[in-house]
Amino acid sequence: MTGVQVTTGFLLLFSFASNSTCHGQSGGEVSKDPSAPAPDVTIPGVDVSALVPREKKEWSGYVSSLLAPCSDVPVSIAQCAIEKRNCTKCVPAAKYILKAVRDGMSQEQVEKGYHNRFDPDKIRNVDVGNAPSKGPVGAPITVIEFADFECPYCAMMSPVLEQVWQQHSQEMRFVYKFLPLSGHVHGDPAARAAIAAMDQGKFWEMHDKLFANRDHLEQSDLDSYAKELGLDLNRFHADMQSTATTDRIAGDRKQADALDVKGTPTIYLNGREFDIHQDMNEWIAQETGEPVKPSSASSAAKPSPPAPAPSK
């Protein structure tokens, strides 16, 4: 799983979808219309040299109209950053919008993404509970993923998340939540297989096998993976069908419904829904105040948009 680009920009083609879909995901108020003409803005520490004139006008409009991400600093992002107001998030906010403009996002997407990333009321209480996890309890970064083992985009995201965790293993706790979708006939048995493997101390090993073989999730395949991991097959089968396993999946689904999760993968970083248009390393750096850790890879796949999954 080495050589995977940590940046999640390759998921730009993912679409918003219903709670029964497998997807990638992309408010508040503005002080004025960002589409109105605005003078070009220069913010120390924000390099806009890669922007074409049209993009620079667009970016200048956004940073001049969107309010700073600190509620006690009631000025625009640009004024906050230029005047060095007491809000450390203003320059990161300007950089966030710069990337959104370069990615060709619409005004609605820019504004929604900005507020999702920086508004304090967008932080959700996502209970870890007794979900499978790796990394230190009490870590400054907690990443929680709701996923389906048959979802192709969850499979694509899996090595990305693994590489991020490897880079931040001392400061990041990674948590997995089970959200098998009705449109994926193998999603539920695969989730049950992962839970049964967890009961024998092999969750992450089974997790990796399931995502690496998402086109091969028949019961015979699941048994084969269990044998490869040295699991007790009789116990494996019993645990797959146990009430405790059913209750765990139902509990995660109930939590996803309460959070209004729209599809898989849905990822929360310190309670804030992760915007897959962005680089997770940059989000983590903003949370910890440390420099961005570079990716070890130079390229990433660019998948085609998914076909909508059947409704529940």
Side-chain angles (χ1 to χ4, degrees):
M1 299 212 178
T2 59
V4 179
Q5 180 82 6
V6 170
T7 180
T8 53
F10 72 91
L11 297 172
L12 279 170
L13 295 174
F14 290 2
S15 60
F16 287 95
S18 70
N19 191 39
S20 59
T21 61
C22 162
H23 76 163
Q25 66 260 25
S26 87
E29 297 179 355
V30 295
S31 58
K32 60 183 179 180
D33 182 4
S35 64
D40 284 351
V41 172
T42 298
I43 296 178
V46 183
D47 181 8
V48 298
S49 61
L51 300 179
V52 301
R54 174 191 58 77
E55 291 172 333
K56 187 170 184 181
K57 285 288 185 186
E58 187 178 343
W59 175 78
S60 296
Y62 286 126
V63 297
S64 297
S65 62
L66 287 165
L67 294 177
C70 297
S71 58
D72 58 346
V73 182
V75 299
S76 70
I77 297 169
Q79 185 177 346
C80 172
I82 293 169
E83 296 179 357
K84 298 182 179 179
R85 296 290 189 99
N86 187 27
C87 180
T88 59
K89 296 179 181 179
C90 288
V91 170
K95 292 179 178 179
Y96 176 96
I97 294 171
L98 185 149
K99 186 176 188 304
V101 169
R102 287 291 289 154
D103 288 341
M105 295 173 67
S106 68
Q107 178 178 332
E108 180 182 4
Q109 289 173 319
V110 171
E111 292 177 6
K112 184 173 183 177
Y114 169 71
H115 291 295
N116 180 66
R117 176 65 187 93
F118 292 100
D119 283 6
D121 63 355
K122 297 297 182 182
I123 298 176
R124 308 297 300 276
N125 180 20
V126 188
D127 184 24
V128 172
N130 63 347
S133 68
K134 57 183 177 180
V137 175
I141 301 297
T142 298
V143 173
I144 301 174
E145 179 190 27
F146 286 85
D148 176 336
F149 288 112
E150 197 175 7
C151 168
Y153 295 99
C154 297
M156 289 179 183
M157 196 66 190
S158 178
V160 176
L161 289 169
E162 174 63 21
Q163 189 182 46
V164 171
W165 184 79
Q166 289 290 343
Q167 290 179 291
H168 299 275
S169 60
Q170 300 305 307
E171 59 193 9
M172 171 179 158
R173 186 182 185 191
F174 178 42
V175 181
Y176 187 91
K177 294 282 187 173
F178 301 91
L179 191 59
L181 305 175
S182 59
H184 294 152
V185 297
H186 301 102
D188 184 73
R192 290 175 176 275
I195 295 169
M198 178 181 69
D199 291 340
Q200 297 188 49
K202 296 286 187 177
F203 171 77
W204 292 106
E205 293 86 346
M206 182 63 82
H207 166 282
D208 294 346
K209 282 187 177 294
L210 294 173
F211 275 135
N213 298 279
R214 58 162 295 275
D215 291 325
H216 302 283
L217 298 176
E218 299 292 343
Q219 186 62 51
S220 59
D221 298 314
L222 302 178
D223 289 350
S224 177
Y225 307 147
K227 290 177 183 177
E228 291 174 19
L229 295 177
L231 303 184
D232 179 320
L233 274 186
N234 289 331
R235 182 182 172 189
F236 177 74
H237 291 152
D239 287 344
M240 279 187 67
Q241 302 305 322
S242 72
T243 300
T245 294
T246 300
D247 289 346
R248 177 181 288 275
I249 294 172
D252 284 356
R253 181 175 285 113
K254 182 178 180 180
Q255 185 179 26
D257 289 342
L259 292 166
D260 196 27
V261 170
K262 299 298 184 184
T264 58
T266 292
I267 300 163
Y268 291 91
L269 197 161
N270 283 1
R272 195 181 291 276
E273 188 172 346
F274 177 62
D275 177 357
I276 62 172
H277 297 91
Q278 301 299 311
D279 187 316
M280 186 173 282
N281 274 332
E282 292 179 357
W283 277 50
I284 290 174
Q286 289 175 15
E287 293 289 324
T288 61
E290 297 178 355
V292 178
K293 294 186 179 182
S295 168
S296 62
S298 60
S299 63
K302 292 185 179 180
S304 300
S311 299
K312 288 182 180 180

